Amino acid sequence: MNPDQFRDALAGDGVLLMGVVNVTPDSFSDGGRYYELDAAVAHGLRMVDDGADIVDVGGESTRPGAEPVSVEEELRRVVPVVRDLRSAGIAVSIDTRHAVVAEAAVAAGACLVNDVSGLRDPSMRAVAAGHDVPAVAMHMPVDDPAVMQQHTDYDDVVRDVISFLREHAALALAEGVPSVILDPGIGFGKTVEQNVQLVRQLDVLVALGHPVMLGASRKRFIGLLAGVEQPEDRVAGTLAVHLAGVQRGARLVRAHDVAAHRQALTMWSHVNG
Ligand code: HH2
């Protein structure tokens, strides 16, 4: 899919598959594997062959306790990968909490801003508005992955996540961001039970009327509930969670294991009529 096709598809009603390229030495499930430019680009191309509609490029691990990365280093990691994938005709998303990185990535061809800090920063909203690109607002309770797991004391996790996302989406739209995708932020400042609750009640988030994205791929709550130690062995558990989300109306699924997801989504749409 090219960027124009992605944008048309986002306005439609099908389910879109986002493949993950972590250009990091320390991501929780694939850190170090795609840290070099060539390996990262080859991985993005392979995911498109496997059925990804868009490739999400990130240069900072947000796992709890990850080493902070300077903006200069994040730029060095992601911009060439975005440029090369875009040159190959692929729709690319930039996964960053930093407006400077988003700006450079969009200038290099990214057609979606994926902000795990939920479009809190007005300058992040200004980048998406200024370049007329859609943005993902993902919920995390505080804008600091290092301490987010100390902030799981919600009154009601589903209500609190929804009110945060509703507020930030409204701000973004009012400031000119063309469309906002909402993401409950599975694993970001959530207990195991809170993650389950958010998937179980995803239809409440969907009812707000924005496209909803789900990113449970290989995450720790799957490992804990299903008893699977290694993140790369959590594909089956991931698919179960993602299909439960799609059943409740999720429009985008963010995944490391693209071929398995394409197969599952194809069969889901066949049997779903
Ligand atoms: N999860 C991760 C990173 N970015 N973006 C959205 N919108 N939703 C998510 O659930 C999400 C995200 C974490 O996964 P990963 O990129 O594989 O790990 P790391 O942060 O360690 O690089």
Side-chain angles (χ1 to χ4, degrees), residues 20 22 24 26-30 56 60-63 95 114 116 136 138 183 185-186 188 213-217 219 254 256:
V20 181
N22 286 317
T24 60
D26 58 347
S27 286
F28 80 96
S29 82
D30 57 359
D56 192 36
E60 178 199 38
S61 173
T62 46
R63 70 181 165 78
D95 182 352
N114 176 21
V116 299
V136 180
M138 195 203 79
D183 184 326
I186 299 299
F188 285 82
M213 169 141 108
L214 190 58
S217 189
K219 284 184 179 170
R254 182 180 182 276
H256 300 88

Side-chain angles (χ1 to χ4, degrees), residues 193-231:
E193 182 51 33
Q194 287 164 351
N195 288 317
V196 169
Q197 222 29 61
L198 284 163
V199 179
R200 209 180 267 158
Q201 293 187 52
L202 202 71
D203 50 336
V204 185
L205 182 58
V206 168
L208 293 186
H210 295 264
V212 167
M213 169 141 108
L214 190 58
S217 189
R218 301 183 176 180
K219 284 184 179 170
R220 203 171 67 96
F221 81 117
I222 296 171
L224 290 172
L225 290 175
V228 186
E229 182 74 28
Q230 295 302 322

